[in-house]
Amino acid sequence: MASVLLVEDDHFVRAALIRHLTDASHSVRSVGTALEALREISQLHFDVVILDLGLPDLDGGKALKMLRGIADVPVIIATARDDEAGIIRLLNDGADDYLTKPFSAEHLTARIAAVLRRSGGSGRGSGRGPAVAPMPEVISVGGISVDPTRRAASLDGVELDLTRREFDLLAYLAERPGRVVSRKDLLAQVWNQPYGADKTVDVHLSWLRRKLGESAARPRYLHTYRGVGVKLEPPQ
């Protein structure tokens, strides 16, 4: 069974796919807009996302790029477009597979199974990706403890409620205490994107700071060096 996020604004298509995927023993959540999808993905774990390109609030291609900024979960594009250049662009932008509408529910189920096999049987958002390699020991930086195996982190003994990407970011920095890490390196290693907007890193750093009880103006653990990068170190 897989945890599936279905992003489809057509209510009839949505209902039919939910019914079929549920009958196939998958756990399904569904939304009708790109912004709803991004919110769900930032807060919950999914093994695979089915993303329709014809969304009412944002072009699916742009939504895919934004999604890739916050998660590595496998994405299957559902599109009525069949031009080769467009499909290649979507695959280069991070899609794992695509289906051209109309398609059968059985075809979709088969594609989901194939994507999950390629991703090792679970979504890359579960932590399988190359961003943070599992380590056998807990990492400690001052009052911060990071357990890569359990994918859990705490501050002064209190467990932190982190999203997948926030955990990956904290773990990557905790492995390099006292070292200034560039935003380019963070994009490449944590987001698995060799190119991208620094804004992605800044937003997640801001979220992580709040959960560590600090701010950019009054840092304790996370120190930003303008034009250089960010460093994690224990309070002085």
Side-chain angles (χ1 to χ4, degrees), residues 72-94:
D72 290 330
V73 58
V75 177
I76 299 175
I77 295 293
T79 175
R81 310 169 195 174
D82 59 358
D83 62 296
E84 183 177 7
I87 290 171
I88 291 173
R89 184 167 58 252
L90 289 166
L91 293 172
N92 286 335
D93 286 342

Side-chain angles (χ1 to χ4, degrees), residues 52-74:
D52 176 42
L53 288 189
L55 298 173
D57 61 333
L58 191 65
D59 176 77
K62 292 180 180 178
L64 174 63
K65 291 182 179 180
M66 294 176 68
L67 185 159
R68 278 288 167 253
I70 61 174
D72 290 330
V73 58

Side-chain angles (χ1 to χ4, degrees), residues 101-133:
K101 294 181 176 180
F103 54 81
S104 68
E106 290 78 9
H107 192 175
L108 173 60
T109 302
R111 291 296 182 96
I112 290 174
V115 164
L116 292 178
R117 283 196 300 272
R118 292 199 297 270
S119 66
S122 63
R124 289 172 297 179
S126 63
R128 189 193 58 83
V132 180

Side-chain angles (χ1 to χ4, degrees), residues 90-204:
L90 289 166
L91 293 172
N92 286 335
D93 286 342
D96 294 83
D97 205 344
Y98 72 93
L99 282 168
T100 302
K101 294 181 176 180
F103 54 81
S104 68
E106 290 78 9
H107 192 175
L108 173 60
T109 302
R111 291 296 182 96
I112 290 174
V115 164
L116 292 178
R117 283 196 300 272
R118 292 199 297 270
S119 66
S122 63
R124 289 172 297 179
S126 63
R128 189 193 58 83
V132 180
M135 297 180 64
E137 297 180 357
V138 174
I139 308 165
S140 295
V141 180
I144 295 176
S145 293
V146 179
D147 186 340
T149 303
R150 292 179 51 242
R151 290 188 61 83
S154 63
L155 174 63
D156 298 329
V158 179
E159 188 159 343
L160 295 168
D161 182 17
L162 303 178
T163 65
R164 292 190 302 275
R165 193 62 71 191
E166 289 166 357
F167 176 85
D168 289 347
L169 177 58
L170 178 61
Y172 188 79
L173 292 171
E175 290 173 20
R176 298 156 180 80
R179 185 191 309 178
V180 178
V181 181
S182 71
R183 285 172 171 78
K184 181 179 178 181
D185 285 344
L186 290 174
L187 280 169
Q189 300 301 321
V190 177
W191 277 264
N192 197 26
Q193 293 184 4
Y195 306 100
D198 287 352
K199 185 71 171 177
T200 298
V201 177
D202 290 339
V203 168
H204 282 80

